[in-house]
Amino acid sequence: MAKGRILAIDDENFFRRFYQDLLGAEGYLVRTAASGEEALEVLKGEPFDLIITDMQMPGMDGLATAEAIRRLNPDQEVMVVTAHKDVEKAVATMKSGVSEYLLKPINPEEFLHVVNRILFGQTLRSEHGKLVRENIELSSILSTFQNCLKFLRVEDLDRLGDLILDTLMELLKAEGGVLWLAGYRGINFRRHCLRGLARVSGAEEVLTPGEQDRRIILAGEPALAAGGKKVWIPLCQGVEPVALVQMEAPMGRPAFGPRDLKVAAAASEFAASALSNVLRYRSLEQKSLRADQGMAYNMAFFRDFLDKELQTARRYGRNLSLLRLSVDNYPELKVAFREKELELGITQMLGKVQEVLRDADIMAMVSPSEYYMLLPETDFWGSLMTQKRIRKALKDLSLSDMRRSLAVQTAVRGASFPVDGQNFEELSQVLTRRLARLKESLFQKGAMQAAPFWSAVEQILGTPKDYRFNGGALQVSKRLATFEDGLQSRFFRMSADRFEEVLRAFCREVVESCRTRGIIYRGCGDFDQVRKGLSLLEAQERSATTLYLLGGDRRVHWDVQKTVPIHIEEPQFRKYPFLIYLTEDQAYALFAHQHKGELIGFHTSDFYFVENMIAKLQEQYQLQTQI
């Protein structure tokens, strides 16, 4: 291996061969150039430990060549050799940063001594610089370790997540960060917290990495992304990912660099270990706090967990829903069946419910006949969807022995934070009221659970023969009269024009409460005619409620997003005028017969009835799911 790389510049071939022979014999690798211009071209492709240049050369002289070389590399060692005793040039050359100045004729021994001295000094400076860099790096790593030791002293998952992000933002000089917790085997990651200027869209609440990103995560090493604007930091315990951190927006520089990756790698080991311990402790704690059935927690743990989730929801502006499930005929089941049979049936019920719930949802037992379910990051509409799935899962559940078989009659209702309450007590009171109203609901009274949408409508409306007119008053048959309660469900008589006024009134309500998410279904025969009557069409586009027009005489396409015509061939959509409206805190349904220029029919604000009629409509006609 060569002792060093030397470039010799001289316009005379004799001296170029002299340098090659003398320095080559000493073990140096020598390249030569006949001019300063040629030397600069060589330097663009190769590095050298020492450059020797003649002073007097055609074109660029030694001084100009030395200055050009120093501009390319300020640390480059340069020796100037000349046959002229020019003191002024010697001074100028030394000022330009030249390491040594020698006169021709050259004494070989003296020349080799100077070359060796220059390169030895260069080696010393290189070693010193390396030691300085290593000391700085060691100091940085020790500082990183010192900062990360505090991870191991935190036992609360939310506090630990915030601390990890804050520490990494400080160490990497970043302006924002996001932490996702790993799901099963790292297939997806659920956002846990974010800090600083980091922004995450709703679509990124659950992160499902692609094949390339998964390889980065499983490698377990920090990696640059988005052209260095972001750093991915996998937190792995062994080969399993525990979490994924994204740091972004480097301060005072265009991008993150290799040093940031080293710091992130050092910090990630502490963060992964601390997170893994907290998650393991949390899992053990949850298993030890199971109720008798084993699938539900006891209320002490549930209340504590719910309080923490509520704090997180308030802090990050998230939603949260609480469900209550009750076994309405539990006393009857307890009398009819032995304890083991009843316990087996309840365990089967809880197993079906658990199949519906997500990994992040938890269930707690109040009593053998009553259960709570916590749905983190779930709003009113997501809660309705979960309730619908639970009812479907438990629809055919029954207990049986050799003597009898009884259906397990269940009821489930939900309340959402922050709309329905700010704490457990408030949400629980809302659930109690809703479960009580559920038993009196029109949907329960009419036993409409299994009926198709139009069968349920015709059951309520009856036929025109069920309506009589006593003067100006409307009277209905005894069978239909059972659907009236005097408070929220009534039969009516009005002119056909009033129906359009009712629709416009709801559209005004939507525009005035533009941030309230909702849905309206309306049956119609002529899409274009209905559109002409919607004077608030443009204002409705800025709302969070969608109006669906169902039926129509043909397929049409409108250049609006919040008023959607859906052509359905079935004649009932044109035969029966109807309107269904649902938001988080309001519900209304209207169904009518057309009779001699009037509408006679039924309307209600029964919340449970409305949401289930919407569910029937959506399922039967495969409409866009809104709940």
Side-chain angles (χ1 to χ4, degrees), residues 466-580:
D466 289 308
Y467 298 82
R468 296 187 305 277
F469 302 98
N470 186 3
L474 176 68
Q475 295 180 341
V476 296
S477 65
K478 288 184 179 180
R479 185 184 70 81
L480 294 188
T482 59
F483 294 128
E484 288 190 311
D485 63 7
L487 295 174
Q488 60 180 9
S489 301
R490 299 287 294 176
F491 285 89
F492 67 88
R493 173 189 183 188
M494 67 181 181
S495 67
D497 295 338
R498 293 289 301 278
F499 184 73
E500 300 301 330
E501 292 180 19
V502 172
L503 177 60
R504 285 193 291 270
F506 277 107
C507 289
R508 282 195 298 273
E509 172 72 21
V510 166
V511 170
E512 291 171 2
S513 57
C514 61
R515 294 185 180 180
T516 302
R517 185 180 172 195
I519 186 172
I520 302 176
Y521 283 111
R522 194 258 202 206
C524 65
D526 188 328
F527 288 140
D528 292 329
Q529 184 178 354
V530 173
R531 180 172 180 172
K532 290 176 183 177
L534 297 175
S535 57
L536 299 173
L537 192 63
E538 292 184 6
Q540 186 177 324
E541 284 297 294
R542 298 187 293 272
S543 75
T545 296
T546 303
L547 167 62
Y548 290 92
L549 303 176
L550 307 180
D553 54 354
R554 59 192 173 84
R555 297 186 185 278
V556 298
H557 176 73
W558 295 345
D559 55 350
V560 290
Q561 301 295 321
K562 295 297 183 178
T563 303
V564 182
I566 301 177
H567 177 59
I568 303 176
E569 290 287 351
E570 291 192 23
Q572 289 98 324
F573 287 96
R574 289 169 287 281
K575 178 181 178 182
Y576 296 111
F578 74 90
L579 182 70
I580 311 177

Side-chain angles (χ1 to χ4, degrees), residues 209-466:
E211 190 61 34
Q212 183 176 357
D213 291 334
R214 275 188 57 76
R215 284 197 293 268
I216 294 174
I217 293 168
L218 293 176
E221 295 293 332
L224 299 176
K229 301 291 185 183
K230 296 180 181 180
V231 178
W232 286 106
I233 308 174
L235 305 183
C236 300
Q237 191 70 2
V239 296
E240 290 294 327
V242 177
L244 179 63
V245 173
Q246 174 187 295
M247 303 308 296
E248 54 189 62
M251 290 189 294
R253 55 212 164 115
F256 293 103
R259 178 194 169 278
D260 297 304
L261 296 181
K262 290 183 179 180
V263 172
S268 67
E269 293 187 25
F270 284 88
S273 179
L275 265 177
S276 180
N277 289 337
V278 169
L279 291 171
R280 189 181 297 112
Y281 175 79
R282 191 180 187 184
S283 176
L284 291 172
E285 182 183 52
Q286 290 176 357
K287 288 179 182 177
S288 67
L289 292 169
R290 296 281 186 179
D292 294 340
Q293 277 78 5
M295 293 188 183
Y297 298 105
N298 62 43
M299 283 302 294
F301 169 75
F302 184 82
R303 288 290 303 274
D304 180 64
F305 190 87
L306 173 62
D307 288 341
K308 291 179 180 178
E309 287 294 327
L310 284 169
Q311 290 176 8
T312 301
R314 291 189 194 97
R315 181 170 188 177
Y316 297 108
R318 298 177 185 171
N319 297 107
L320 175 151
S321 290
L322 187 65
L323 305 186
R324 186 189 290 176
L325 171 70
S326 65
V327 183
D328 291 341
N329 63 336
Y330 186 82
E332 182 184 356
L333 296 172
K334 191 170 184 180
V335 171
F337 297 95
R338 291 179 297 178
E339 185 176 346
K340 275 191 175 181
E341 293 168 341
L342 179 58
E343 184 177 332
L344 183 63
I346 294 298
T347 301
Q348 184 182 3
M349 178 191 76
L350 297 180
K352 289 180 176 292
V353 173
Q354 287 285 11
E355 290 177 3
V356 172
L357 299 179
R358 305 165 301 178
D359 291 342
D361 304 332
I362 68 169
M363 180 164 52
M365 184 179 79
V366 181
S367 69
S369 64
E370 190 172 6
Y371 299 84
Y372 278 111
M373 283 154 279
L374 171 63
L375 313 180
E377 300 185 29
T378 304
D379 62 6
F380 165 77
W381 300 94
S383 164
L384 288 185
M385 178 58 77
T386 302
Q387 293 173 57
K388 173 183 167 184
R389 289 172 176 163
I390 290 174
R391 287 194 296 269
K392 185 176 181 180
L394 302 182
K395 183 175 66 172
D396 300 323
L397 182 64
S398 62
L399 292 183
S400 60
D401 57 17
M402 300 296 293
R403 297 168 297 165
R404 65 179 68 81
S405 177
L406 289 177
V408 180
Q409 299 172 6
T410 60
V412 58
R413 294 304 283 152
S416 299
F417 168 88
V419 176
D420 297 319
Q422 298 291 320
N423 52 49
F424 174 76
E425 287 72 20
E426 293 177 0
L427 294 172
S428 181
Q429 289 171 10
V430 170
L431 287 171
T432 300
R433 292 196 299 270
R434 288 179 177 172
L435 281 169
R437 288 202 301 267
L438 178 60
K439 296 175 183 178
E440 302 174 357
S441 168
L442 174 66
F443 199 75
Q444 297 284 70
K445 285 181 182 178
M448 301 176 188
Q449 292 88 339
F453 177 78
W454 287 114
S455 297
V457 171
E458 290 168 354
Q459 181 181 346
I460 296 170
L461 284 181
T463 68
K465 295 180 181 179
D466 289 308

